[in-house]
């Protein structure tokens, strides 16, 4: 009987030992075993308590180890994520978007850096094989005062200048700018979005050290805007930056989101802080880069032109909308005059309805006609064999009005004659994208000749000034029409006419000159984007005096 008891006790001790081995409690196994053999109830309670304490201690240590492992893993993952993000920002744009554009210069590291030009906006001869990864500027950290939405109006270059102004204003007010909305309701009815014309990712990242730009509002604010809970208004034209500080910033702080519409010419040409002026240039000449598709087609057109030698770009502003808006009908027949008049009355926002075309022409307020342009180019001794690329829409009157120009300069070309229809298929009915193509070709021309000082003429003139003063013939239309009329009436011989034209334009070739300031008459001043003096390579004092 005693042997059996011992056997049962040994079995019980072995069972307990196995259980404690599974718990990893070998050190306490002997005590518990002895307690079981002795059958001491009190001993079992004490030893059970010790087991529970030890068990709890081990569980706590296990939890601590698990927590430490998780914390260490999280830190390591976070470090990896930061490193991958940095690598993505450095290499991602190049991998996803292809080679950097040849049309624009690298952006500087800040608005305070002086903007410098290059000899050419596009090198069509060769492309670099090894392009280093572009290092993005660090993000600018600032307290965000709110969000600025912008709706641009007008044609491509009118909107381009407005975008530059709005970036500068957003930077000065320390607000977040939403990618501007382009005009779709103008005469051209172009449905293009910002990203259809400009490289939106380059626009955002290249300016990240100046201003925070988002493609759209954060969800909660977007929902508020959809419910109409925001403030919208057109800013006052030609306003000083203090206007935006005193009038617009309080509205942004109050409503969180302010929408500015009709944003053309809303920032004054002169009297602005130097860093603000340089930022306007940086946006215009670096951040606003056209899409790869537009740039590639521009490169193709320039290459085709260069194969045959030098070329002139003639911005012949003689489209139907221009003539209807200005009321200039020189050379038009009565049927065309009536058509242009009806069109002018059809657009209520064109305020001037009754226009004396002859008076406007004599005041130099009309674009030169194709016939007047041909006489002017001949008088300036432009080689009749040179290629002339017409940067314009459809010329009003068609081949009939172009006949005299084509007779004087037979090598007239346009994008439609240089390219296959398939090349322009995706650009049809998108006037701003077509204008972007003409803009790129205009920058690269040996000579740029605008026949009217519209927005494209002004912005291209300024961009060519920035590109080390590439030749731009700025026609004095008021003088020219007077000389042309005298020549046509026989008052001047050809030699006299030609000499007068050359003499009057010898200093109108896009050479360096300080911007004209006219207090209280900003519309009559030199336009900032035509002559961004603060951003140009400053000429020597002697050179400047010789041009004044």
């Amino acid at each position: 009987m005693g042997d059996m008891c011992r056997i049962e006790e040994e079995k019980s001790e072995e069972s307990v030992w196995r259980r404690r081995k599974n718990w990893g409690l070998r050190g306490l196994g002997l005590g518990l075993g002895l307690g079981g053999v002795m059958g001491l109830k009190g001993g079992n309670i004490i030893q059970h308590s010790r087991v529970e304490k030890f068990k709890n201690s081990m569980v706590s240590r296990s939890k601590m180890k698990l927590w430490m492992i998780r914390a260490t893993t999280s830190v390591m993952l976070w470090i990896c994520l930061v490193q991958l993000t940095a690598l993505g920002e450095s290499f991602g744009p190049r991998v996803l978007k292809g080679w950097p554009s040849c049309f624009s210069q690298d952006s500087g590291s800040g608005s305070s850096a002086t903007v410098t030009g290059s000899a050419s906006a596009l090198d069509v001869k060769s492309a670099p094989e090894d392009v280093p990864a572009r290092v993005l500027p660090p993000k600018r950290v600032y307290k965000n005062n709110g969000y600025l939405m912008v709706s641009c109006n007008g044609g491509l270059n009118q909107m381009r200048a407005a975008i530059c102004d709005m970036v500068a204003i957003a930077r000065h007010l320390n607000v977040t700018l939403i990618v501007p909305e382009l005009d779709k309701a103008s005469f051209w009815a172009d449905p293009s979005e910002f990203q259809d014309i400009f490289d939106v990712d380059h626009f955002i990242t290249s300016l990240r050290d100046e201003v925070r730009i988002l493609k759209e509002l954060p969800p909660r604010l977007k929902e508020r805007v959809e419910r109409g809970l925001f403030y919208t208004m057109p800013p006052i034209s030609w306003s000083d930056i203090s206007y935006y500080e005193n009038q617009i910033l309080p509205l942004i702080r109050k409503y969180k989101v302010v929408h500015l519409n009709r944003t053309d010419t809303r920032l004054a040409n002169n009297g602005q802080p130097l860093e603000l002026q340089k930022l306007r240039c940086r946006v215009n000449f670096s951040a606003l880069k056209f899409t790869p598709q537009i740039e590639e087609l521009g490169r193709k057109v320039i290459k085709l032109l260069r194969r045959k030698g030098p070329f002139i770009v003639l911005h012949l502003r003689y489209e139907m909308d221009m003539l209807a808006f200005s009321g200039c009908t020189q050379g038009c027949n009565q049927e065309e005059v009536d058509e242009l008049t009806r069109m002018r009355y059809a657009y209520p926002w064109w305020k001037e309805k009754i226009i004396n075309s002859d008076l406007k022409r004599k005041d130099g307020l009309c674009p030169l006609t194709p016939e007047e342009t041909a006489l002017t180019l001949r008088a300036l001794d432009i080689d009749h064999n040179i290629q002339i690329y017409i940067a314009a829409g459809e010329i009003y009157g068609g081949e009939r009005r172009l006949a005299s120009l084509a007779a004087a300069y037979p090598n007239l070309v346009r994008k439609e004659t240089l390219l296959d229809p398939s090349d322009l298929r995706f650009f049809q009915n998108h006037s701003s994208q077509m204008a972007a193509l003409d803009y790129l070709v205009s920058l690269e021309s040996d000579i740029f000749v605008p026949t009217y000082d519209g927005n494209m003429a002004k912005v291209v003139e300024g961009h060519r000034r920035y590109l080390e003063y590439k030749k731009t013939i700025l026609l004095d239309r008021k003088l020219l029409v007077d000389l042309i009329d005298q020549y046509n009436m026989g008052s001047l011989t050809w030699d006299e006419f030609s000499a007068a034209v050359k003499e009057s334009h010898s200093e109108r070739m896009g050479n360096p000159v300080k911007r004209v300031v006219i207090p209280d008459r900003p519309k009559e001043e030199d336009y900032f984007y035509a002559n961004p003096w603060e951003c140009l390579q400053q000429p020597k004092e002697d050179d400047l005096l010789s041009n004044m």
Side-chain angles (χ1 to χ4, degrees):
M1 190 70 176
D3 292 334
M4 290 182 67
C5 289
R6 281 195 299 272
I7 292 170
E8 289 298 321
E9 287 174 355
E10 288 173 359
K11 289 181 179 180
S12 177
E13 181 179 353
E14 181 180 355
S15 177
V16 172
W17 178 265
R18 286 177 179 172
R19 286 198 302 272
R20 289 166 187 165
K21 181 179 179 182
N22 291 336
W23 293 344
L25 303 176
R26 294 192 181 189
L28 276 172
L30 181 61
L32 289 173
L34 290 173
V37 174
M38 295 173 64
L40 297 176
K41 183 177 181 181
N44 284 338
I45 294 173
I46 294 171
Q47 291 164 4
H48 181 69
S49 176
R50 290 176 179 173
V51 170
E52 288 299 320
K53 288 180 180 180
F54 192 81
K55 178 181 178 182
N56 290 338
S57 174
M58 293 300 294
V59 170
S60 297
R61 291 180 182 176
S62 298
K63 288 181 177 179
M64 180 63 74
K65 288 181 179 179
L66 183 60
W67 183 87
M68 288 295 292
I69 291 170
R70 288 177 176 174
T72 303
T73 304
S74 298
V75 170
M76 292 179 68
L77 287 173
W78 178 252
I79 292 172
C80 292
L81 181 61
V82 170
Q83 294 296 325
L84 287 172
T85 302
L87 287 172
E89 289 183 344
S90 296
F91 296 99
R94 176 180 171 186
V95 173
L96 296 175
K97 299 179 71 58
W99 298 113
S101 168
C102 297
F103 285 105
S104 59
Q105 302 167 55
D106 293 336
S107 58
S109 59
S111 65
S112 59
T114 301
V115 183
T116 57
S118 65
S120 175
L122 172 64
D123 181 6
V124 297
K125 295 179 181 178
S126 62
E129 296 181 358
D130 297 317
V131 179
R134 182 165 60 94
V135 178
L136 298 178
K139 289 183 179 179
R140 176 170 169 260
V141 179
Y142 61 93
K143 180 183 177 182
N144 183 36
N145 288 319
Y147 295 82
L148 181 63
M149 298 175 63
V150 172
S151 290
C152 301
N153 60 293
L156 173 67
N157 294 285
Q158 190 172 340
M159 294 190 290
R160 182 187 185 106
I163 292 167
C164 299
D165 287 350
M166 292 300 115
V167 170
I169 290 165
R171 165 64 169 83
H172 193 79
L173 300 183
N174 285 335
V175 298
T176 296
L177 178 68
I178 306 303
V179 169
E181 179 185 28
L182 303 187
D183 190 349
K184 301 177 184 62
S186 65
F187 168 81
W188 303 276
D190 188 339
S192 299
E193 301 287 353
F194 186 99
Q195 62 271 18
D196 297 324
I197 300 173
F198 299 108
D199 186 333
V200 64
D201 293 322
H202 174 79
F203 175 69
I204 292 172
T205 56
S206 65
L207 293 169
R208 55 190 254 149
D209 61 330
E210 295 288 1
V211 63
R212 182 181 179 223
I213 304 175
L214 300 178
K215 292 182 180 179
E216 58 181 17
L217 286 166
R220 61 182 182 84
L221 292 176
K222 188 176 181 181
E223 186 178 327
R224 286 185 60 187
V225 168
E226 290 172 351
R227 298 203 311 267
L229 301 177
F230 67 103
Y231 193 87
T232 183
M233 62 173 289
I236 297 174
S237 298
W238 308 111
S239 295
D240 187 80
I241 194 62
S242 60
Y243 162 78
Y244 292 93
E245 291 176 0
N246 300 328
Q247 302 295 324
I248 305 301
L249 183 56
L251 293 173
I252 296 176
R253 285 174 171 159
K254 179 179 180 180
Y255 293 97
K256 300 301 180 186
V257 179
V258 167
H259 172 241
L260 298 182
N261 54 59
R262 296 195 62 83
T263 52
D264 63 312
T265 62
R266 303 295 149 154
L267 188 59
N269 293 313
N270 300 298
Q272 308 311 309
L274 181 60
E275 63 272 12
L276 201 68
Q277 301 288 62
K278 290 187 175 180
L279 179 56
R280 293 166 89 176
C281 292
R282 179 177 168 187
V283 180
N284 191 23
F285 303 135
S286 180
L288 284 178
K289 184 175 69 172
F290 293 121
T291 63
Q293 294 83 359
I294 294 174
E295 290 193 344
E296 181 181 356
L297 197 56
R299 189 178 294 111
K300 182 175 181 178
V301 172
I302 294 163
K303 188 175 182 179
L304 290 171
L305 288 166
R306 286 286 179 218
R307 283 178 182 172
K308 296 183 179 180
F311 68 95
I312 292 175
V313 166
L314 177 65
H315 185 43
L316 189 60
R317 196 71 170 92
Y318 209 74
E319 301 98 338
M320 183 179 183
D321 65 293
M322 180 70 246
L323 300 180
F325 173 76
S326 64
C328 298
T329 57
Q330 177 75 13
C332 296
N333 58 40
Q334 189 58 48
E335 183 181 349
E336 291 170 335
V337 171
D338 293 341
E339 182 181 36
L340 294 172
T341 303
R342 287 194 299 271
M343 182 179 184
R344 184 164 65 252
Y345 276 90
Y347 288 88
W349 52 88
W350 292 355
K351 297 179 181 179
E352 194 176 12
K353 302 300 181 183
I354 301 174
I355 300 174
N356 187 318
S357 177
D358 290 335
L359 287 178
K360 288 200 75 171
R361 176 176 174 271
K362 288 180 179 179
D363 287 336
L365 300 176
C366 288
L368 292 184
T369 66
E371 296 85 359
E372 292 168 341
T373 302
L375 282 173
T376 301
L377 295 179
R378 286 178 56 206
L380 290 169
D381 286 342
I382 301 297
D383 185 355
H384 74 282
N385 289 318
I386 197 170
Q387 297 175 99
I388 296 183
Y389 176 94
I390 297 179
E394 184 177 353
I395 301 302
Y396 192 61
E399 297 302 320
R400 175 178 67 84
R401 297 306 302 271
L402 284 173
S404 59
L405 182 60
Y409 293 94
N411 290 324
L412 288 181
V413 295
R414 305 180 62 176
K415 50 186 172 291
E416 292 85 356
T417 61
L418 288 171
L419 298 170
D420 294 329
S422 59
D423 291 324
L424 293 171
R425 183 173 65 252
F426 296 108
F427 295 84
Q428 296 297 334
N429 302 319
H430 294 83
S431 58
S432 291
Q433 295 183 47
M434 296 285 260
L437 184 59
D438 283 341
Y439 186 96
L440 293 174
V441 180
S442 298
L443 288 185
E444 284 303 314
S445 63
D446 295 280
I447 303 175
F448 176 64
V449 185
T451 61
Y452 187 73
D453 56 351
N455 288 292
M456 177 170 172
K458 291 176 180 177
V459 178
V460 170
E461 174 193 345
H463 205 151
R464 287 172 67 87
R465 285 183 186 271
Y466 172 74
L467 297 172
E468 298 182 353
Y469 306 112
K470 299 180 75 173
K471 182 178 287 189
T472 300
I473 302 179
L474 305 173
L475 301 177
D476 185 340
R477 294 187 305 280
K478 185 175 181 179
L479 176 64
L480 281 172
V481 296
D482 181 52
L483 292 173
I484 289 170
D485 287 345
Q486 292 184 56
Y487 170 71
N488 287 333
M489 291 186 297
S491 301
L492 292 175
T493 65
W494 175 258
D495 289 340
E496 291 171 335
F497 170 69
S498 179
V501 171
K502 290 173 188 172
E503 182 181 0
S504 61
H505 289 83
S506 61
E507 298 299 330
R508 298 177 65 89
M509 299 290 175
N511 39 323
V513 59
K514 290 194 73 171
R515 198 166 55 245
V516 174
V517 180
I518 306 176
D520 302 323
R521 289 188 291 168
K523 291 183 181 180
E524 300 176 33
E525 295 178 331
D526 283 354
Y527 187 42
F528 176 83
Y529 292 102
N531 188 9
W533 175 256
E534 297 89 336
C535 310
L536 306 179
Q537 291 182 339
Q538 301 303 321
K540 295 178 181 179
E541 192 67 24
D542 293 341
D543 296 336
L544 184 60
L545 290 173
S546 66
N547 292 314
M548 294 182 66

